[in-house]
Amino acid sequence: MKYGDKIIYMEGVIVEIHDGSVGIDLKGRLGFLSIPVRMLISDSELKIGQEVGWNMSFPEQLSPEVNESYFSNLDAYKKRQAEMTAAKNAKKEDPK
């Protein structure tokens, strides 16, 4: 890493709670973060509207090279999704 760590304290508000994930709106209109429930430290039941805080640094690009394994997996996923959508639409148009 070229730059030294600059740890920043971030805060947000829980806006979504699902079986395995929690959605957090970042304060300051910085965006939205979805994390697994297991990553959130809590002594009580999670509720929409609760505030959360954590330390974070800036993401840094590790290499100019593309990780072909991840790229090919993402491409295959998108193709499967397109095929499933096309099959679903074809089934709706031909209700035999």
Side-chain angles (χ1 to χ4, degrees):
M1 297 175 100
K2 297 177 188 174
Y3 300 95
D5 283 339
K6 180 171 171 78
I7 303 299
I8 300 168
Y9 182 74
M10 304 280 297
E11 290 185 350
V13 178
I14 296 174
V15 294
E16 294 178 359
I17 301 173
H18 301 286
D19 288 340
S21 67
V22 176
I24 301 168
D25 269 343
L26 305 180
K27 289 185 177 180
R29 300 186 329 183
L30 293 175
F32 178 83
L33 179 67
S34 182
I35 62 168
V37 172
R38 69 179 187 276
M39 299 290 293
L40 186 59
I41 300 168
S42 175
D43 291 334
S44 61
E45 178 185 354
L46 298 177
K47 297 177 185 171
I48 292 177
Q50 289 177 322
E51 294 181 316
V52 294
W54 65 96
N55 290 317
M56 187 175 205
S57 185
F58 294 102
E60 184 176 344
Q61 179 184 10
L62 299 177
S63 167
E65 303 301 320
V66 173
N67 184 321
E68 291 298 330
S69 176
Y70 283 101
F71 187 75
S72 64
N73 288 342
L74 181 60
D75 192 38
Y77 173 78
K78 288 180 180 179
K79 286 180 183 176
R80 281 193 307 271
Q81 291 296 320
E83 290 170 1
M84 290 179 1
T85 302
K88 186 176 181 181
N89 290 340
K91 189 174 183 180
K92 284 183 181 178
E93 292 174 1
D94 188 24
K96 288 185 180 178

